[in-house]
Amino acid sequence: MSDSSLSERPSLESLRSHASSTSIQSQPDTLPPAVTGRSAWDGSELTPEEYVMELEADEMENIRAAVISFKLLGLPRGRIDKETFPLQLGLAKKLSSLSNEIHNGRGVVVVRGLHAAGFNDEEAVIAFAGVSSHVCPERATDSFADQTLSHIRDATRDKVPDWARELGLAGSKLPTAMDFHADRFSGDVLALYVRNDGSSVGGGDQFVASFCRIYNELLDVAPDALETLAAANWPFELKHPIHKQPYLELGPAMFLAEGKPICQLVKAPLLGSPKIPRSKSMPPLSTDQTYALEVVEGLARRFGTRLDRRNGDIQFIHNLSVMHARSAYSVKPSQGRSARHLLRMFLRDPENAWRKPRGYLPKFEDPFALGREQNLPILDMDPWRKITGRESHG
């Protein structure tokens, strides 16, 4: 994978050199064997023909009818599900079958064709939640800021209210590049609806990489980095939900369950972000942790690929086995901001969900707690919103 906005990372030769210098030549007994099957892929193997599902004209019309049907019910958007967003049996089965590919296949699926529907902002949110409910029926809600759906856009030129002057902006509200990561304890499946890809001004390309492929490579050339990732001593900076003060939480960046590696490596709470610096009260990363970050990023860039993207796409990315990244994007000189705009949710399908390590199960389960009010805003009027991105994203 190559992109001029993404800097180079260490080569495999340097990784092998490091492995030799640290005298770790064999696979540690604590690590599962290499991952087999379609989830461990190189970027050259993941082609749009394989992961894009094109909607037929009648299927798009069926989705449009379901949007109108839901609006007529007069229910809050948090009530959108397979029953309140009914689709014809053939399309419903087609969407439901995508979950198996997301969880047990490549981990990347794109539903294409909704741009032709010409949805307004409200209809787009309804369509996004409705279609997604047929793929993965459960939606996550962030317990810190009570968000179910968030808007990915450039908010750097929004007028900052007095109460938000000390908050800064999360990475999802900035036009800067984001390294490869997997959003931590946010949900099993990342869903993104491309309202505007920003292609009129350029940048903002999306990239994906198989963490299973990265795991296999590290098992061969630098297993010490995997042991570092699995150690429960990574210093994540979190923020207290009431008094907003930062506090330290130690934990792994990679989990192991039933022989599968689960990536939950996110950099913002480890390194800080452009608008939210890391608190000086937090300990720095160790040399081994810094090395592990560099190694994973380098291999993700080597084995990753650019995601084929068009306006109207709904992207489903398995957040446990696939890492994602973004290049920086530009702003429109006439507007002083970018038109790039994506909607984001995190989902789960109980029938296909991966098992989680028992000791951390409450953290994986928390976003899907029953009874939590779901907030699916049509417009992003509050980009500061308690800065949920500080903990989990980027």
Side-chain angles (χ1 to χ4, degrees):
M1 186 192 82
S2 63
D3 185 89
S4 58
S5 65
L6 300 178
S7 59
E8 293 299 321
R9 288 299 199 265
S11 66
L12 288 182
E13 289 72 22
S14 69
L15 303 187
R16 293 190 176 97
S17 174
H18 179 91
S20 298
S21 67
T22 53
S23 300
I24 298 180
Q25 303 293 329
S26 59
Q27 299 175 9
D29 294 336
T30 56
L31 296 173
V35 179
T36 59
R38 298 178 63 247
S39 61
W41 45 264
D42 289 348
S44 60
E45 299 174 309
L46 190 71
T47 63
E49 293 76 18
E50 184 177 16
Y51 63 79
V52 174
M53 188 201 91
E54 295 266 6
L55 290 169
E56 302 291 341
D58 64 321
E59 293 172 332
M60 187 270 290
E61 289 299 329
N62 186 198
I63 292 171
R64 188 204 298 271
V67 169
I68 295 172
S69 174
F70 179 80
K71 291 174 69 175
L72 292 174
L73 292 175
L75 297 173
R77 289 182 293 278
R79 292 283 302 279
I80 297 173
D81 57 27
K82 289 186 289 186
E83 283 68 42
T84 60
F85 194 88
L87 297 174
Q88 293 177 356
L89 184 59
L91 178 56
K93 286 185 174 180
K94 193 173 182 180
L95 291 172
S96 178
S97 69
L98 299 179
S99 178
N100 184 62
E101 176 66 11
I102 294 167
H103 290 84
N104 304 311
R106 298 299 196 197
V108 178
V109 167
V110 172
V111 175
R112 176 164 292 168
L114 283 181
H115 186 59
F119 290 134
N120 62 31
D121 290 332
E122 179 189 14
E123 292 165 344
V125 169
I126 295 172
F128 182 30
V131 169
S132 297
S133 70
H134 286 270
V135 179
C136 296
E138 296 182 359
R139 290 188 294 268
T141 297
D142 187 316
S143 61
F144 189 79
D146 299 323
Q147 275 191 321
T148 308
L149 180 148
S150 55
H151 294 253
I152 311 300
R153 66 179 185 89
D154 174 18
T156 56
R157 287 162 177 78
D158 287 18
K159 183 178 179 180
V160 182
D162 291 340
W163 63 265
R165 293 191 183 281
E166 302 300 322
L167 289 180
L169 287 168
S172 60
K173 310 298 183 182
L174 303 175
T176 52
M178 298 182 76
D179 281 350
F180 278 96
H181 62 282
D183 295 298
R184 188 173 178 81
F185 302 137
S186 297
D188 294 18
V189 177
L190 166 65
L192 295 164
Y193 181 15
V194 184
R195 290 290 284 155
N196 189 324
D197 65 2
S199 57
S200 61
V201 291
D205 288 333
Q206 296 170 261
F207 303 90
V208 289
S210 164
F211 184 74
C212 295
R213 179 67 182 88
I214 294 169
Y215 177 89
N216 289 351
E217 189 68 28
L218 289 176
L219 201 61
D220 180 40
V221 303
D224 56 326
L226 291 176
E227 290 200 313
T228 298
L229 290 169
N233 60 354
W234 287 77
F236 293 96
E237 178 187 349
L238 306 186
K239 190 173 288 186
H240 195 280
I242 298 177
H243 55 66
K244 310 299 189 297
Q245 294 302 308
Y247 68 93
L248 176 67
E249 180 174 282
L250 300 178
M254 178 187 74
F255 300 86
L256 302 170
E258 295 190 333
K260 295 178 179 178
I262 295 175
C263 181
Q264 294 284 270
L265 178 58
V266 61
K267 295 182 179 179
L270 294 171
L271 303 175
S273 59
K275 294 291 185 180
I276 314 175
R278 184 170 171 83
S279 171
K280 294 181 180 179
S281 66
M282 295 293 114
L285 299 187
S286 69
T287 301
D288 286 345
Q289 288 169 341
T290 301
Y291 164 69
L293 284 185
E294 290 290 311
V295 166
V296 170
E297 183 68 22
L299 290 177
R301 291 167 186 261
R302 181 178 293 269
F303 297 134
T305 186
R306 185 176 67 84
L307 196 62
D308 186 74
R309 183 184 65 199
R310 298 181 190 174
N311 288 335
D313 284 354
I314 297 183
Q315 308 164 346
F316 298 97
I317 300 170
H318 193 229
N319 189 48
L320 309 182
S321 65
V322 177
M323 304 184 77
H324 60 281
R326 181 189 74 202
S327 66
Y329 55 96
S330 305
V331 300
K332 276 190 173 182
S334 61
Q335 298 179 1
R337 69 178 67 194
S338 172
R340 186 181 189 272
H341 183 202
L342 283 69
L343 307 180
R344 179 182 67 192
M345 295 190 299
F346 288 91
L347 312 171
R348 183 172 67 178
D349 178 6
E351 291 189 9
N352 287 306
W354 284 19
R355 292 284 184 91
K356 315 299 192 306
R358 181 173 298 178
Y360 290 89
L361 189 59
K363 289 188 174 295
F364 284 100
E365 292 285 334
D366 180 73
F368 300 96
L370 296 177
R372 189 173 293 160
E373 182 180 356
Q374 295 198 355
N375 182 12
L376 288 79
I378 296 170
L379 300 175
D380 187 24
M381 304 303 293
D382 179 11
W384 303 275
R385 197 173 178 82
K386 300 183 183 178
I387 309 304
T388 59
R390 182 47 179 269
E391 268 110 79
S392 303
H393 312 296

